Amino acid sequence: MKKNFVIAIHGGAENQSREELGEAKEAAYQQGLENALMAGWHILEQGGSAIDAVEAAVKSMENNQLFNAGRGGSLAKDESIEFDAAIMDGKNMKAGAVSGVKHVKHPITLAKTIMQRSPHVLLTSIGAENFAMEQELEMKGDDYFKTEEKIKSLRKAKKKEKDELLKDTVGAVALDMDGNLAAATSTGGLENQYPGRVGDSPIIGSGTYANNEVVAVSCTGDGEGIMRANVAHELYALMKYKKLPLKEAAQEAMNVYKDRIEGDRNFIALDPQGNVEFSFETALMFRACKKNHDPTYLAIWKDDTGEWEQE
Amino acid sequence: MKKNFVIAIHGGAENQSREELGEAKEAAYQQGLENALMAGWHILEQGGSAIDAVEAAVKSMENNQLFNAGRGGSLAKDESIEFDAAIMDGKNMKAGAVSGVKHVKHPITLAKTIMQRSPHVLLTSIGAENFAMEQELEMKGDDYFKTEEKIKSLRKAKKKEKDELLKDTVGAVALDMDGNLAAATSTGGLENQYPGRVGDSPIIGSGTYANNEVVAVSCTGDGEGIMRANVAHELYALMKYKKLPLKEAAQEAMNVYKDRIEGDRNFIALDPQGNVEFSFETALMFRACKKNHDPTYLAIWKDDTGEWEQE
């Protein structure tokens, strides 16, 4: 029997219109998504693990100024850039996560290193930075992350000259040929955020979750609401205990407790059979997936059919 | 109809034997539990809210050197003391949490203040400390937290002269006369822990969870395992979607994924009908509860029937 391998990624979900985004930026996002997707897909295609594939896809987006993660991370109120990230291996349910860390080039690799080389799941702030240096991960000074464009954007945010703050997150979920699921999420946080604010991304069961038997999930959106609703674990619970298939479970997870928990919830999810869901309530989600050697699905807008010519 | 009000608390779960603990310390723990329980109970009895009751109970334990929270917090590897805490209001599913914060006298009050006066759920480290000072919460220097006894204990831990590290957590769950559930958890972390390590306590859905319709939970034990298994939210899911009553759901939540997730899981849980579960796999759990004007239940050992003469 031929074994499925699948990767799905997102580069955030926003309420920008097509006009606001502009054609040039749209094309750049498409290229960025394609690069990240293929970085993960090639690992899977060669028989590599889901955990390595999701790390590779997220690293690619962390290298890309366009995405609010790693190099492209948004500025907090005090012009600092703090990163949150998490990774989870569905095979053994091991997890690694990092919150409020600075200067790390690849927060997702730090999360993976915490999972693999420490007895801990979550390290925060200076302790996490210290661990990154002990493990000889690549560190970068402020000049790597802080651009004139971001400083201008923060200034606008403070003057409330912007309708929407940068709050994107990037993420990936994958299924490898051995039947293992994995999930990874990385973010530069919410623009103009209170220093030390942590969102859902590094929280296992909120922004990130993977379990071989049920589902792999990576969220983006209103971090506070996603944490209060435990969106990723809620999706798992709806599939495991309410026995809903992925599609119905995703719809229900988007709406549960919406009467008391505000904020947009958006996520990508992948089940053990290789089914993928992109669930979002924003105008757009930067998203892509590729199953086996099938054509790539790549889409931005809600009504996108997803056809995009691969080069 | 007379309305139930209930509070249940724990002061950690350990593998000490009766002999190791000693009579004097046992009596001191009993008194500490009684004080904390009654601090919360009096609020409920006067028609106060579940959220205020769990805060009061936890504050009482944070003031007590015996418990690994607040003043009694254990020392990390570098002799620093970092606190984690969370609180959740089952009425509106609002939550507040803090991780890796120093110098705050009452981490649980900081968590509650984040919930009530910030748009955020979780603040970490220096940012959290700054928020505490902006909100004029009580701050304390190292001399308040750091005792000769703790320094000696850390030294023993480093030389591996101890069988078990300090890793307790305190917590409370309550049901008020208006039918609202709440949960609160606070800890000084794991003795000799890597600085910046964060456990399950401040993670909504792992160490702390409350939802009026289903359950309120506060966990203690192996933080990494509790996070990977999302123990609090798993208990909620078993009750909500598998329709198990509290007792059976608690048993199942203790065991789910035990084949791949090691470490002890212990928790207290309370359902909307006022049923209380103390679930633990250690030799002891410092625990107590009081329902309406019924006699106080207070127990330490596994086989304790819980009768204890109130003064």
Side-chain angles (χ1 to χ4, degrees):
Chain A
M1 203 185 84
K2 217 185 125 198
K3 283 170 184 164
N4 280 329
F5 59 97
V6 183
I7 183 161
I9 64 168
H10 71 86
E14 297 177 11
N15 280 314
Q16 284 192 78
S17 69
R18 196 165 228 132
E19 292 68 40
E20 286 166 317
L21 186 64
E23 260 181 53
K25 236 174 168 183
E26 184 170 340
Y29 271 108
Q30 287 172 327
Q31 192 58 60
L33 286 170
E34 170 82 359
N35 293 346
L37 187 77
M38 295 316 285
W41 183 84
H42 281 301
I43 289 173
L44 297 175
E45 194 245 349
Q46 286 159 29
S49 69
I51 200 85
D52 288 343
V54 292
E55 182 200 12
V58 168
K59 274 180 83 163
S60 171
M61 289 186 277
E62 284 177 342
N63 281 334
N64 189 332
Q65 287 273 14
L66 279 176
F67 299 106
N68 180 17
R71 182 158 210 181
S74 63
L75 299 182
K77 205 173 201 164
D78 62 355
E79 295 196 3
S80 70
I81 312 183
E82 295 185 337
F83 302 102
D84 301 335
I87 198 162
M88 189 163 183
D89 188 339
K91 182 173 59 176
N92 46 28
M93 295 176 77
K94 286 197 173 171
V98 63
S99 65
V101 75
K102 298 178 184 175
H103 300 132
V104 176
K105 187 179 180 191
H106 288 299
I108 198 63
T109 301
L110 176 53
K112 191 181 170 206
T113 308
I114 291 167
M115 176 177 81
Q116 292 178 330
R117 299 192 208 156
S118 92
H120 301 310
V121 167
L122 175 57
L123 295 181
T124 194
S125 201
I126 296 167
E129 194 172 321
N130 184 55
F131 183 78
M133 290 187 279
E134 284 181 2
Q135 296 292 323
E136 301 183 353
L137 301 190
E138 202 169 345
M139 308 301 289
K140 289 285 184 185
D142 285 347
D143 61 326
Y144 176 79
F145 303 103
K146 219 161 142 178
T147 60
E148 206 46 55
E149 197 186 335
K150 285 192 214 173
I151 295 167
K152 273 185 201 151
S153 177
L154 177 65
R155 222 166 277 157
K156 275 190 190 168
K158 285 186 176 178
K159 290 185 192 156
K160 294 182 179 157
E161 287 170 0
K162 299 179 72 169
D163 289 336
E164 193 156 318
L165 302 172
L166 297 174
K167 61 165 186 182
D168 280 338
T169 296
V170 309
V173 289
L175 171 68
D176 66 30
M177 289 184 196
D178 296 323
N180 295 312
L181 290 172
T185 313
S186 180
T187 186
L190 180 63
E191 188 176 32
N192 198 27
Q193 75 180 7
Y194 195 92
R197 177 258 181 186
V198 177
D200 61 300
S201 306
I203 309 300
I204 302 303
S206 287
T208 307
Y209 186 73
N211 176 334
N212 269 10
E213 293 159 19
V214 187
V215 72
V217 195
S218 172
C219 299
T220 179
D222 180 76
E224 279 70 17
I226 293 170
M227 277 191 276
R228 289 164 58 202
N230 285 102
V231 171
H233 202 260
E234 183 74 27
L235 177 64
Y236 146 88
L238 289 162
M239 295 177 73
K240 178 161 179 179
Y241 296 120
K242 208 178 171 183
K243 312 281 184 199
L244 296 181
L246 177 60
K247 200 179 229 2
E248 282 92 283
Q251 265 159 354
E252 200 162 322
M254 292 289 283
N255 292 308
V256 69
Y257 304 120
K258 262 282 166 169
D259 54 329
R260 69 207 85 164
I261 303 178
E262 64 281 3
D264 59 298
R265 301 175 191 173
N266 318 289
F267 55 80
I268 57 172
L270 173 61
D271 73 14
Q273 290 72 47
N275 298 304
V276 173
E277 270 301 305
F278 295 102
S279 296
F280 59 105
E281 48 182 304
T282 46
L284 72 83
M285 177 188 257
F286 302 109
R287 62 199 189 275
C289 78
K290 190 170 178 70
K291 187 171 178 173
N292 305 325
H293 289 268
D294 296 354
T296 298
Y297 167 89
L298 196 149
I300 295 181
W301 311 98
K302 198 137 224 166
D303 55 1
D304 259 353
T305 54
E307 265 73 52
W308 184 61
E309 217 57 57
Q310 275 190 79
E311 282 157 54
Chain B
M1 203 187 83
K2 216 185 123 198
K3 283 171 184 165
N4 279 329
F5 59 98
V6 184
I7 181 158
I9 65 168
H10 71 85
E14 297 177 10
N15 280 316
Q16 284 192 79
S17 69
R18 198 166 226 132
E19 292 68 41
E20 287 167 316
L21 186 63
E23 262 182 49
K25 234 172 168 181
E26 184 169 341
Y29 272 109
Q30 286 173 328
Q31 192 58 60
L33 287 170
E34 171 81 359
N35 293 347
L37 188 77
M38 295 315 287
W41 184 84
H42 281 301
I43 289 171
L44 298 175
E45 195 245 348
Q46 286 160 29
S49 69
I51 200 86
D52 288 343
V54 292
E55 183 200 13
V58 168
K59 273 180 85 166
S60 171
M61 290 185 277
E62 285 177 343
N63 281 332
N64 189 331
Q65 285 273 14
L66 279 176
F67 300 105
N68 180 17
R71 184 159 208 181
S74 63
L75 299 181
K77 207 172 199 163
D78 61 355
E79 294 196 5
S80 70
I81 312 184
E82 295 184 337
F83 302 103
D84 300 336
I87 199 163
M88 188 162 183
D89 189 338
K91 183 172 61 179
N92 47 29
M93 297 177 77
K94 285 198 172 171
V98 62
S99 65
V101 75
K102 296 178 186 177
H103 300 132
V104 177
K105 186 179 181 192
H106 287 298
I108 198 64
T109 301
L110 176 54
K112 192 183 170 202
T113 308
I114 290 166
M115 176 177 82
Q116 292 178 331
R117 298 193 210 156
S118 91
H120 301 310
V121 167
L122 174 57
L123 295 181
T124 194
S125 201
I126 295 167
E129 195 173 318
N130 185 54
F131 183 77
M133 291 186 279
E134 284 181 2
Q135 296 293 323
E136 301 183 355
L137 301 190
E138 202 170 346
M139 309 302 287
K140 290 285 184 186
D142 285 346
D143 59 327
Y144 176 78
F145 303 103
K146 217 161 143 180
T147 60
E148 207 46 55
E149 198 187 335
K150 285 193 214 170
I151 295 168
K152 274 187 202 152
S153 176
L154 177 65
R155 223 166 278 156
K156 276 191 191 168
K158 285 185 176 177
K159 289 185 192 157
K160 294 186 178 154
E161 288 169 1
K162 300 179 73 169
D163 288 338
E164 192 157 315
L165 302 172
L166 296 173
K167 62 164 185 184
D168 281 338
T169 297
V170 308
V173 289
L175 172 68
D176 64 30
M177 288 184 198
D178 296 324
N180 295 313
L181 289 172
T185 313
S186 180
T187 186
L190 180 63
E191 188 176 30
N192 198 28
Q193 75 180 6
Y194 195 92
R197 176 258 181 187
V198 177
D200 62 300
S201 304
I203 309 301
I204 301 305
S206 287
T208 306
Y209 185 74
N211 176 333
N212 269 8
E213 293 159 20
V214 187
V215 72
V217 195
S218 172
C219 299
T220 178
D222 181 77
E224 279 71 16
I226 293 170
M227 279 191 276
R228 289 163 57 201
N230 284 103
V231 172
H233 202 261
E234 183 74 28
L235 178 63
Y236 146 89
L238 289 162
M239 294 177 73
K240 178 159 180 180
Y241 296 119
K242 208 179 172 183
K243 312 282 184 199
L244 295 181
L246 177 59
K247 200 178 233 353
E248 282 91 284
Q251 266 161 353
E252 200 161 322
M254 292 288 283
N255 293 307
V256 69
Y257 304 122
K258 262 281 167 171
D259 54 327
R260 68 207 86 163
I261 302 178
E262 63 282 1
D264 59 298
R265 301 175 191 173
N266 318 287
F267 56 79
I268 59 173
L270 173 62
D271 73 14
Q273 290 72 47
N275 299 303
V276 174
E277 270 301 304
F278 295 102
S279 296
F280 59 105
E281 49 182 304
T282 46
L284 73 83
M285 177 188 256
F286 301 108
R287 61 198 189 275
C289 78
K290 192 172 177 68
K291 187 171 177 173
N292 304 326
H293 289 268
D294 297 354
T296 299
Y297 168 88
L298 196 149
I300 294 180
W301 310 99
K302 198 137 223 167
D303 55 2
D304 259 353
T305 53
E307 265 72 53
W308 183 62
E309 216 56 56
Q310 273 191 77
E311 282 156 55

